[in-house]
């Protein structure tokens, strides 16, 4: 077990826990220079914060649905084939990670980046990868690269200072996934590792690609889900967007007819306060917002179960686990 990371404030329990002490979010940048230390820190926190909420950024998609069809019109096998074609070809740029516990508490740290004395911050991590290089012809959508550059992504710095996805995956498997598997095997009462994303088809696909050593994704989405559970070391994989869509409040969260249903809007509808100053809405802040939505949805279904009759398919042992494996984009 790794020692607790520097500046970590021990969790004090309760529904809000240390969130009461936090005054903002610190997005911890991770490159080749510090990825080992930061993955060690994440591994040390998992026993207390066993929910990994993540988000990816990549330079667009190069494959589209057939002419005259929208992605939402495709069957699940067709949608998976489209996602696979893009993820197999297009390298990843960023990975955001936010940890939380079953009540949505995030790890809190004393400021390490010049914040006010005595200030405490929740922390998310954003890993920058070195894989993508448009100069050598790596697949990408030019308009996506332009947009990401306008949001502050420095592609030259990523090539020079980012961590390779292969190095990340090897260390992640050794310091995050392996200890979690060992703990689960030795202690049946240990809290199982849980994964969550928002609109997570591409997020899960990129994680599986990295942990598979960059190999092409499995041929079918059923094979993909089995592979994801094997690699991620968990039967708990959730999509906060899918949960929100089936919460009974989709019109309130996404807007009438499902329009305007981006992550930022849904998080705001659920009471998430905007960050001040607001950083570019990339992988770090996005995974923190996704964490808030996921936690709110789990609480919503728990309260429904405790207070109201539910359709039979919503009745499950932890009042939300019925959504395990239901990933937006695969169903």
């Amino acid at each position: 077990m790794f020692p607790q990371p520097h500046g970590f404030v021990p969790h004090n329990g309760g529904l809000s826990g240390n969130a009461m002490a936090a005054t903002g979010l610190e997005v911890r940048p991770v490159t080749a220079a510090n990825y080992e230390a930061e993955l060690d820190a994440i591994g040390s926190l998992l026993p207390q914060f066993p929910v990994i909420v993540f988000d990816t950024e990549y330079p667009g998609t190069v494959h589209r649905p057939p002419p005259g069809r929208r992605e939402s019109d495709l069957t699940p096998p067709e949608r998976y084939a489209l996602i696979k074609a893009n993820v197999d070809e297009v390298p990843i740029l960023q990975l955001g990670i936010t940890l939380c516990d079953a009540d949505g508490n995030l790890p809190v740290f004393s400021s390490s980046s010049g914040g006010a004395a005595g200030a405490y911050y929740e922390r998310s991590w954003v890993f920058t990868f070195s894989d993508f290089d448009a100069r050598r012809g790596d697949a990408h959508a030019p308009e996506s690269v332009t947009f990401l550059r306008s949001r502050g992504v420095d592609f030259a710095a990523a090539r020079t200072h980012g961590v390779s996805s292969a190095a990340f995956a090897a260390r992640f498997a050794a310091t995050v996934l392996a200890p979690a598997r060992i703990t689960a095997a030795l202690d049946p009462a240990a809290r199982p590792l849980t994964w969550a994303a928002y609109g997570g088809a591409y997020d899960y696909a990129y994680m599986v690609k990295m942990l598979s050593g960059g190999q092409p994704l499995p041929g079918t989405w059923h094979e993909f889900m089995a592979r994801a559970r094997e690699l991620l070391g968990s039967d708990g994989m959730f999509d906060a967007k899918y949960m929100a869509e089936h919460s009974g409040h989709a019109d309130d969260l996404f807007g009438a007819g499902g329009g305007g249903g981006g992550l930022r809007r849904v998080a705001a509808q659920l009471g998430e306060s905007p960050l001040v100053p607001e950083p570019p809405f990339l992988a770090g802040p996005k995974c923190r917002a996704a964490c808030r939505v996921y936690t709110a949805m789990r609480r919503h279904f728990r309260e429904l179960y405790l207070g109201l009759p539910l359709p039979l398919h919503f009745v499950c042992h932890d009042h939300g686990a019925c959504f395990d494996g239901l990933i937006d984009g695969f169903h």
Side-chain angles (χ1 to χ4, degrees):
M1 179 63 65
F2 298 103
Q4 295 290 277
H6 176 72
F8 172 64
V9 180
H11 177 57
N12 60 20
L15 185 60
S16 55
N18 282 332
M20 293 296 291
T23 57
L25 175 69
E26 178 188 70
V27 178
R28 186 84 157 179
V30 186
T31 65
N34 65 338
Y35 79 98
E36 293 180 325
E38 294 304 327
L39 284 175
D40 290 351
I42 288 172
S44 75
L45 292 166
L46 278 184
Q48 296 165 269
F49 304 93
V51 181
I52 302 176
V53 187
F54 66 111
D55 181 83
T56 58
E57 296 290 344
Y58 45 92
T61 57
V62 295
H63 297 280
R64 305 286 192 273
R69 299 182 69 188
R70 299 171 300 176
E71 188 168 345
S72 59
D73 298 328
L74 303 180
T75 65
E78 290 172 331
R79 296 179 81 180
Y80 175 72
L82 181 64
I83 293 163
K84 169 178 162 57
N86 281 306
V87 173
D88 282 350
E89 289 190 34
V90 180
I92 190 171
L93 290 174
Q94 287 185 351
L95 170 69
I97 288 179
T98 294
L99 304 180
C100 71
D101 65 14
D103 292 317
N105 299 301
L106 275 63
V108 172
F109 292 77
S110 57
S111 176
S112 62
S113 57
Y120 296 94
Y121 295 89
E122 296 174 336
R123 178 174 294 177
S124 293
W125 289 262
V126 59
F127 293 78
T128 296
F129 297 103
S130 62
D131 300 40
F132 175 66
D133 190 346
R135 301 173 305 173
R136 68 182 176 214
D138 286 349
H140 67 284
E143 64 275 16
S144 295
V145 169
T146 299
F147 171 77
L148 290 166
R149 187 175 284 117
S150 75
R151 304 293 286 177
V153 175
D154 187 332
F155 291 91
R159 289 193 303 269
T160 304
H161 302 294
V163 58
S164 73
S165 62
F168 163 85
R171 186 76 177 188
F172 189 85
T175 63
V176 176
L177 297 179
R181 287 191 176 98
I182 292 171
T183 299
L186 295 178
D187 182 5
R191 288 170 287 188
L193 196 62
T194 298
W195 294 80
Y198 182 91
Y202 278 89
D203 303 310
Y204 281 103
Y206 272 108
M207 185 63 78
V208 167
K209 177 183 177 179
M210 287 194 289
L211 293 174
S212 299
Q215 295 300 307
L217 296 178
T220 70
W221 70 275
H222 295 286
E223 293 170 328
F224 171 84
M225 294 304 293
R227 184 67 171 149
R229 287 191 170 93
E230 175 190 350
L231 289 172
L232 299 178
S234 174
D235 287 331
M237 298 189 302
F238 296 89
D239 190 318
K241 183 179 180 184
Y242 193 94
M243 297 171 79
E245 289 170 342
H246 295 81
S247 66
H249 298 280
D251 285 349
D252 296 329
L253 294 173
F254 296 98
L263 170 58
R264 191 165 1 201
R265 173 196 163 94
V266 174
Q269 291 294 105
L270 291 168
E272 172 75 351
S273 299
L275 297 170
V276 180
E278 187 171 12
F281 202 57
L282 295 172
K286 283 168 67 179
C287 66
R288 191 252 204 169
C291 180
R292 297 299 194 217
V293 176
Y294 167 74
T295 300
M297 289 298 100
R298 290 302 282 258
R299 188 175 299 132
H300 168 70
F301 286 107
R302 179 177 65 217
E303 291 171 354
L304 278 178
Y305 178 79
L306 293 175
L308 295 170
L310 285 174
L312 195 59
H313 66 279
F314 280 147
V315 178
C316 44
H317 71 280
D318 69 350
H319 327 306
C322 45
F323 289 96
D324 173 32
L326 298 175
I327 308 302
D328 186 76
F330 292 160
H331 297 84

